Amino acid sequence: MAQVQAISSCSSMNLLFKGSIKSSPRIQDKFWCTKKLDSLQQLGVKASEFNGLAIAHSSFSFASPCATHAIQAVLANDKETTNNTAVGGKPIRKKLNKVVLAYSGGLDTSVIVPWLRENYGCEVVCFTADVGQGIKELEGLEAKAKASGACQLVVKDLTEEFVKDYIFPCLRAGAIYERKYLLGTSMARPVIAKAMVDVAREVGADAVSHGCTGKGNDQVRFELTFFALNPELSVVAPWREWEITGREDAIEYAKKHNVPVPVTKKSIYSRDRNLWHLSHEGDILEDPANEPMKDMYMMSVDPQDAPDQPEYVNIGIVGGIPVSVNGKELSPATLLSELNEIGGRHGIGRIDMVENRLVGMKSRGVYETPGGTILFKAVQELESLTLDRETIQVKDSLALKYAELVYAGRWFDPLRESMDAFMENITKTTTGSVTLKLYKGSVSVTGRQSPHSLYRQDISSFESGDIYNQADAAGFIRLYGLPMRVRAMLEKGL
């Protein structure tokens, strides 16, 4: 992405905004152009290159109601260097003061720390989010980060926020991408990116960075969140800029810059884990014809090895949101953790699919979502009692778009937020409980009940009742089938 270099007639190098960005995380800053431009061709740049904001090659003026200083904007290429020098005296692309980096402690992010310092002349604050990936992944991170050249490490526990504010809304909406994918990684990225924006504000950073590759979906999910919550932040994506092409290059770069290379064994799979799921990609999975290896799975046992006796679990639900397991009320993260354990020992929630990535290519992935699979089944089944036919059909159709928006990283898009308001309203009566039977990889419903149930036994019973007169069905059938009857009469010349 091209960078914008603003040159002001005054000493300030910042574009003038109307209002304070700190007053609202969602504020949309406005620019006023003193010269009317007829087309994007006059601007000399496609609007899509700047996510809708077009900047002219030639100079033109911006003005705000609060200032009269003219600011000229010109394009500067990503690789344009300045007279500034960073670590080692190397010319830098663009001077940044402080960058918040999404940090895992692995090889890639360990190398990104010195690379940022070398190429942008900045301090690096490493940020790690706990979204339920496991305590082992958080051990020793501060020492690793500082050994790589970071000035500090910030760790935040986002597990409850992740489940309550991201997972449960998707669950309530019934959002499933391409018939199978329960959006585990898609939901985790915006909560992490939002926290990065918060940390950037707290430490006074002017940029954020991530280690996502240019082939994946995650780069979009991170950056759309950055754009939505603080468009003033610069975004640095090393994998789209540097000359490192693989693991060996990264190791060589690390050694050259005295960065301790992580000694953990390199997995043959690319994995992403959080409290909702565990994904597996790469190696033999890149061929869709290959069956996954039995020892690949980590959250669930092989269904063949699951207990020979079924286990029953009761899920309590209020307004489309799970609140209890077997009568015990639990916090969102604790509830999901318990169901992961229960579902995992019965081999629940294994999905093998070929999906369409946002960037255009197809990819094959295997997902383990034991607790999530149980919860989706429970909420969906309770809706069969509490929602009428038309409502279910509309909700299901909107759920497809909802899932697409989440998958595409548009969590903070007004459309998703508006759809979420609909989902919250329409599921007000989705309250009750569902009992499910777990057995060797399968989840089946054995009972459901709700105080708002639209099911009436006195109406549905085959026994005679006062509300439903079976004789009324004859007239209904004649009217409902009238178009078919008329067509048949026409064909027969009647």
Side-chain angles (χ1 to χ4, degrees), residues 128-134 138 156-163 167 187-189 191-192 272-277 336:
T128 300
D130 181 2
V131 288
Q133 63 267 44
L138 302 177
K156 289 194 175 185
D157 184 349
L158 304 178
T159 51
E160 291 291 350
E161 179 183 356
F162 177 39
V163 181
I167 290 177
M187 296 184 293
R189 295 309 181 239
V191 69
I192 297 172
D272 178 77
R273 183 167 188 164
N274 57 50
L275 200 55
W276 183 247
H277 87 160
L336 181 54

Side-chain angles (χ1 to χ4, degrees), residues 428-489:
K428 284 180 179 178
T429 59
T430 305
T431 296
S433 63
V434 177
T435 302
L436 308 106
K437 181 171 70 174
L438 313 180
Y439 182 66
K440 292 190 177 295
S442 68
V443 182
S444 56
V445 178
T446 61
R448 74 286 280 166
Q449 56 184 357
S450 169
H452 305 292
S453 175
L454 300 177
Y455 177 87
R456 288 282 298 268
Q457 187 172 349
D458 56 344
I459 297 178
S460 302
S461 174
F462 286 107
E463 302 295 330
S464 297
D466 296 330
I467 298 178
Y468 190 99
N469 186 341
Q470 296 191 43
D472 293 340
F476 165 75
I477 294 171
R478 283 196 294 270
L479 293 177
Y480 184 70
L482 184 59
M484 299 175 66
R485 190 176 184 183
V486 170
R487 181 178 294 276
M489 292 172 64

